[in-house]
Amino acid sequence: MKKVCIVGLGYIGLPTAIVAAQAGLKVVGIDIKEEIVDCINRCCPVIKEPEIVEKLQEVLTTKNFYAATVYEPADYFIIAVPTPFTPDKKADLSYVYAAASSIAGVLKKGDTVILESTVPVGTTKTVAQFLATKTGLSVGADFFVAHCPERVLPGNIFQELKVNDRIIGGIDRGSTQHVASFYEYFVSGDLYLTTAETAEMAKLVENSYRDVNVAFAHQVASMAQTVGIDPYELIDLANKHPRVKILRPTCGVGGHCLAVDPWFLVETFPEQSKLLKAAREINDAKPFEVLARISAKVAQWEASHHTKTCRVLLLGVTYKADVDDLRESPALEIARQLIKENQVELLVCEPNVQSRILEQHIGKRSITLEEGIDAADIVVCLVAHTPFKALDKKTFAHKKVIDCCGLLYMPNKQVFSGQQFFGAASQDQKTPQQSIKGIWFGQSHTEREETP
Ligand code: SAJ
């Protein structure tokens, strides 16, 4: 049975280890943090992902998987460690090289090393040379190296790990072949073979494409709002065009991917990446726009309530809906800033993050939705988590609301039918007026108090 050593038991490494173990490979997962390794071996993963506990239990029981802090010899090594950026927006590859250094200690002839972490163009080749120098082995002859970027969407990782197409870019043809045969164990999607540099750049381009499109949505929202148009209704209507698909404005862009990856292209191609840089700046500015709206609303509230501090409830602080991940979260940044300014009494409702963890980040525990809405003077909808979406919109009826994620937007499904309109109008004044509102004039100024 082939053995795999997966380095980095985070959002990508752990699910990949589980899927590989389910496919019949012998997998050891390596993490530098002992507490993470202990938790995983006790089947208490620290990351949240649908079905992760059941699947982890299964592979621990079959003994096809276990976690450790010490590297072991294996046939395949997968590097799935974080690649953050430095304060001056340059890729920080220290975790990649630390992993490569430890792999070099156990690497032997015939082994394959796969770099899954997102990296600037050219990194895979440099890592391969680094391994060759450290081990004295010859890359392409004694061992094989390729980049195979992960492409899964948090919240749907187990499905996407198997069905998504993968790009495999070896530092030479032999490496590409070796790595492709590895992914055949568990990927049902197509495996596209190319060079290491093309694979690296494809990943960066994919996420930059999405970042640029979110920035477009954010600019549309800002323009619309300036003239009192509901951006969610506007975008909904524009998207009725068969070739238009504008994304959804939120309180910013977060996570470890979109907010980071475009900078790796900007670093390598400063002259040819102006649009990417502008998009990054637009998305990074979004939380400050939201903070300005909150300040304005609080000032309005204070003008009519002289006696007490305004209570502001934030709904959601993770980087996007229905995940527990706080990395690069614009909503969390908004919370931090409000705490720092100390002008309001801040309440936070975040059902996806344990209160203890939230407290470590912002010194505040999460309160329940009911408590929060009851106590709040102003509700700020930051992240459209499913339990928030399930709320009866009437819950917000007597609240001042700033909706930054389209939580309160109700798409009007009615489509004008001349017969219905004219026919109904002559019989019943009330019914046609309600339906006309959605069809002709939209619902922007009547149904929702405020948008981002
Ligand atoms: N966002 C919006 N509006 C949208 C869509 C997203 O504001 O319409 C925001 C989200 O709220 C979030 C951020 O963008 O803050 C990123 O969310 P996301 O769902 O677009 O992406 P990630 O970072 O969770 O995952 C991305 C995915 N890449 C693409 O869709 C091109 C995923 O497939 C990658 O595997 C992942 O990055 C990665 O690891 O690179």
Side-chain angles (χ1 to χ4, degrees):
M1 190 191 280
K2 294 280 186 194
K3 185 165 172 185
V4 191
C5 180
I6 299 188
V7 186
L9 295 177
Y11 284 89
I12 302 303
L14 181 58
T16 304
I18 293 173
V19 169
Q22 282 179 320
L25 292 155
K26 189 92 186 153
V27 183
V28 53
I30 305 291
D31 205 286
I32 44 168
K33 292 191 181 146
E34 212 154 304
E35 65 271 23
I36 290 185
V37 166
D38 287 345
C39 286
I40 290 172
N41 284 332
R42 282 187 285 108
C43 198
C44 303
V46 288
I47 59 167
K48 195 177 162 198
E49 178 65 25
E51 296 172 39
I52 192 162
V53 176
E54 301 89 299
K55 289 181 191 295
L56 177 58
Q57 181 70 63
E58 179 194 323
V59 296
L60 286 170
T61 308
T62 58
K63 299 202 183 343
N64 270 7
F65 169 76
Y66 57 91
T69 50
V70 180
Y71 287 66
E72 296 179 13
D75 302 293
Y76 298 101
F77 293 88
I78 299 183
I79 302 176
V81 295
T83 46
F85 55 55
T86 59
D88 59 342
K89 317 277 192 215
K90 305 278 188 278
D92 173 0
L93 299 175
S94 54
Y95 297 111
V96 169
Y97 280 99
S101 192
S102 299
I103 289 170
V106 290
L107 195 73
K108 58 184 185 323
K109 270 193 177 183
D111 289 352
T112 300
V113 180
I114 303 165
L115 181 57
E116 280 210 6
S117 306
T118 306
V119 290
V121 179
T123 306
T124 308
K125 200 165 257 174
T126 317
V127 168
Q129 279 153 4
F130 173 87
L131 285 167
T133 309
K134 280 227 149 204
T135 57
L137 295 171
S138 169
V139 63
D142 295 334
F143 71 102
F144 309 96
V145 180
H147 181 55
C148 180
E150 57 79 15
R151 287 176 144 178
V152 290
L153 197 69
N156 195 26
I157 292 182
F158 285 105
Q159 164 81 351
E160 295 205 358
L161 266 178
K162 292 182 190 162
V163 304
N164 287 2
D165 295 344
R166 300 289 293 246
I167 300 175
I168 297 167
I171 54 146
D172 52 41
R173 206 177 273 267
S175 290
T176 310
Q177 293 292 343
H178 270 84
V179 172
S181 59
F182 168 75
Y183 284 100
E184 269 189 340
Y185 277 104
F186 58 87
V187 174
S188 62
D190 291 331
L191 304 174
Y192 290 95
L193 311 184
T194 183
T195 62
E197 290 78 8
T198 309
E200 290 164 339
M201 190 154 171
K203 168 70 183 186
L204 300 175
V205 166
E206 286 164 18
N207 279 349
S208 300
Y209 166 85
R210 194 152 167 89
D211 194 48
V212 166
N213 279 281
V214 178
F216 179 81
H218 282 153
Q219 290 234 301
V220 168
S222 300
M223 289 188 286
Q225 196 182 17
T226 309
V227 288
I229 290 172
D230 181 333
Y232 297 99
E233 185 195 0
L234 171 71
I235 289 173
D236 227 15
L237 293 177
N239 284 346
K240 304 286 180 215
H241 186 292
R243 287 173 297 283
V244 173
K245 183 82 192 81
I246 303 170
L247 294 178
R248 204 171 179 74
T250 59
C251 66
V253 164
H256 182 62
C257 310
L258 270 61
V260 179
D261 299 355
W263 290 117
F264 294 0
L265 285 172
V266 174
E267 180 183 352
T268 312
F269 308 101
E271 284 310 309
Q272 300 101 322
S273 57
K274 295 199 170 79
L275 177 64
L276 277 58
K277 188 163 183 275
R280 271 289 66 246
E281 285 162 356
I282 289 163
N283 288 333
D284 277 352
K286 190 70 192 180
F288 297 100
E289 212 180 294
V290 173
L291 280 163
R293 296 200 67 78
I294 296 174
S295 293
K297 200 74 163 169
V298 169
Q300 215 180 56
W301 185 92
E302 283 173 347
S304 50
H305 299 78
H306 302 288
T307 50
K308 63 182 182 99
T309 312
C310 183
R311 275 172 302 204
V312 174
L313 170 68
L314 302 185
L315 289 186
V317 286
T318 57
Y319 89 87
K320 69 174 184 177
D322 298 328
V323 299
D324 68 335
D325 195 342
L326 294 166
R327 289 178 299 173
E328 316 285 334
S329 166
L332 192 72
E333 212 37 59
I334 290 167
R336 281 206 181 104
Q337 194 58 34
L338 289 171
I339 290 166
K340 195 162 127 201
E341 288 168 7
N342 199 22
Q343 299 294 312
V344 299
E345 184 183 334
L346 194 70
L347 310 168
V348 177
C349 175
E350 179 42 82
N352 294 318
V353 178
Q354 290 173 18
S355 253
R356 176 181 59 83
I357 293 176
L358 193 63
E359 204 168 11
Q360 285 164 8
H361 280 86
I362 55 169
K364 263 190 188 302
R365 295 183 84 84
S366 177
I367 58 170
T368 67
L369 197 49
E370 294 72 25
E371 280 172 338
I373 292 192
D374 210 36
D377 299 308
I378 296 174
V379 180
V380 187
C381 309
L382 292 179
V383 188
H385 290 316
T386 301
F388 301 160
K389 284 198 271 192
L391 269 183
D392 186 341
K393 307 287 180 273
K394 289 195 198 103
T395 317
F396 299 93
H398 304 292
K399 296 285 166 188
K400 299 218 167 297
V401 182
I402 301 176
D403 182 6
C404 307
C405 54
L407 194 67
L408 301 190
Y409 173 61
M410 287 185 292
N412 195 319
K413 297 245 161 55
Q414 296 177 94
V415 177
F416 175 64
S417 137
Q419 199 186 5
Q420 183 192 4
F421 172 65
F422 292 114
S426 57
Q427 288 159 19
D428 179 354
Q429 280 301 319
K430 209 167 161 223
T431 308
Q433 270 171 9
Q434 280 172 346
S435 61
I436 289 167
K437 188 168 61 182
I439 301 162
W440 295 103
F441 305 112
Q443 53 185 185
S444 43
H445 305 295
T446 47
E447 314 244 331
R448 304 170 63 224
E449 189 175 334
E450 197 153 346
T451 55

